[in-house]
Amino acid sequence: MNKRTFIVRRAAPLAAALAVGGGAGAAIYAGLGGSSSPTATTAAPTVTVPAQPAAAKQTVSSLTQLYKNVTPGVVDIRVTGASNGGFGFGGQQTTQAEGTGFVYDTKGDIVTNAHVVDGASAITVHFQNGKTAKATLVGADDSSDVAVIKVSVDAAQLHPLTLGDSSGVQPGQSVVAIGSPFGLAETMTSGIVSAIDRTITSPNNFSISGAIQTDAPINHGNSGGPLLNLSGDVIGVNAQIESDSGGNDGVGFALAINSVKSVANTLISGGKVQHAYLGISVGDASGSAGALVSQVVSGSPADTAGLKAGDVITALDGKAIASASDLTASLSAHAPGDKVTLTVTHSGSTKSIDVTLGSRPS
């Protein structure tokens, strides 16, 4: 069974995997022990590389320049936290986590994933030039897996990355990822956009719509790092992989930067991030288009409106809903307090249900 995995690198006193169930698939924090440094055991054989054509040389040159332009704005994030003792030990255990982030503005704000800084008691940012700085948590939103941390450093140390527009991202587009896989800071990998509008599961088990799927290799430690187009614009924030092995299988997911910008700006301004909430668990309807309701949360807006398990939602405000992902994306475009009309089928009959959306619980 494939596992959807958050790609923060977390080393505990005793290596362990902490499972978080629910949503579109199980999400785990991978417990990694020991050194992450590669060890050479044999001498590499001498290889004669044939001359490359001019086009290939130009590609290497452009990626090299992109790397030089962007890496000053990419940071390695190391987090110290505490967890309850386990494995026969009482008290609390100190934990270490490592992820990636990128400079968001000249005020010292840095964007990363919420799961990177979850439970942090201390956060240290490592810049490309070797300098370090203590960071404080500005805010985090588990429902979107976005967090903002802040450093107080000289403005000359800060190199904000250019933010792109994720609404125009297309499958087949070339991309690069930069981060700290297995603690190897400032690692760049390349690939393409494999698909768009994927739905992934947040740390608190809600659905995140609009994710970008990529085959650019990303691993534990890449969490929170930028996914960039070849102009060097950030189009996504690397967040998860899907893997049988726990390592890179060429199926990674990045949060769309347009959504990240909205959350980050709200957190930086001191606001509270709110998400529309219906209060159901859904899957794709079998044998027909629509989102099948598998569970209705007691007391939720869906419950109040009369939705039942077994209902199939086929439209929202007249717009066809072909799948559970369609429903998630449509709801994401709304705010708490919005009134929507759902077209619902059950046992061959069709009806319209009006619902006032609530605010998603923490």
Side-chain angles (χ1 to χ4, degrees):
M1 175 181 177
N2 290 346
K3 292 183 178 179
R4 193 68 57 81
T5 308
F6 295 118
I7 48 176
V8 64
R9 178 174 182 264
R10 187 177 296 272
L14 294 176
L18 306 181
V20 183
I28 64 170
Y29 289 108
L32 302 172
S35 171
S36 63
S37 301
T39 302
T41 56
T42 59
T46 301
V47 179
T48 301
V49 181
Q52 294 178 321
K57 290 183 179 179
Q58 179 59 41
T59 300
V60 171
S61 175
S62 64
L63 289 178
T64 300
Q65 189 60 51
L66 186 155
Y67 182 85
K68 290 178 179 179
N69 293 343
V70 171
T71 47
V74 181
V75 300
D76 180 77
I77 299 173
R78 301 181 191 180
V79 174
T80 300
S83 63
N84 292 327
F87 311 101
F89 299 96
Q92 287 192 323
Q93 303 287 323
T94 299
T95 62
Q96 299 287 329
E98 186 168 10
T100 308
F102 61 91
V103 179
Y104 191 73
D105 57 34
T106 56
K107 298 177 182 178
D109 293 307
I110 292 170
V111 167
T112 186
N113 285 141
H115 73 260
V116 170
V117 295
D118 180 45
S121 58
I123 305 171
T124 304
V125 170
H126 294 247
F127 292 92
Q128 183 204 32
N129 61 7
K131 293 184 178 181
T132 63
K134 296 296 183 183
T136 57
L137 179 65
V138 174
D141 177 50
D142 284 343
S143 286
S144 59
D145 200 12
V146 174
V148 177
I149 60 176
K150 191 178 186 71
V151 292
S152 295
V153 297
D154 190 277
Q157 180 68 41
L158 299 170
H159 302 277
L161 298 190
T162 301
L163 305 182
D165 180 2
S166 53
S167 67
V169 172
Q170 295 295 322
Q173 178 178 340
S174 295
V175 290
V176 298
I178 299 179
S180 302
F182 303 111
L184 300 169
E186 297 140 30
T187 295
M188 181 170 75
T189 55
S190 65
I192 62 169
V193 172
S194 303
I196 58 174
D197 294 330
R198 295 301 198 197
T199 299
I200 60 177
T201 305
S202 71
N204 58 356
N205 294 323
F206 287 101
S207 294
I208 302 174
S209 64
I212 300 167
Q213 182 182 331
T214 180
D215 68 351
I218 52 179
N219 288 283
H220 300 291
N222 276 108
S223 278
L227 185 71
L228 307 113
N229 61 25
L230 296 193
S231 297
D233 302 330
V234 182
I235 59 170
V237 177
N238 300 314
Q240 294 180 23
I241 58 175
E242 185 154 340
S243 172
D244 288 324
S245 63
N248 167 60
D249 284 349
V251 183
F253 300 94
L255 311 173
I257 194 62
N258 288 8
S259 298
V260 172
K261 282 189 288 188
S262 176
V263 174
N265 289 339
T266 299
L267 294 174
I268 291 169
S269 68
K272 181 180 178 181
V273 181
Q274 294 186 317
H275 302 272
Y277 176 62
L278 184 56
I280 58 175
S281 296
V282 294
D284 293 341
S286 177
S288 63
L292 174 65
V293 178
S294 59
Q295 182 181 3
V296 178
V297 178
S298 178
S300 68
D303 186 31
T304 301
L307 275 171
K308 304 293 182 184
D311 286 346
V312 175
I313 300 172
T314 59
L316 188 152
D317 287 340
K319 180 182 177 181
I321 299 296
S323 64
S325 293
D326 275 358
L327 179 62
T328 300
S330 294
L331 290 172
S332 296
H334 285 276
D338 286 355
K339 295 182 179 180
V340 299
T341 300
L342 303 176
T343 303
V344 176
T345 63
H346 195 125
S347 300
S349 62
T350 301
K351 59 182 177 181
S352 294
I353 297 179
D354 295 327
V355 185
T356 301
L357 300 175
S359 182
R360 184 182 294 178
S362 301

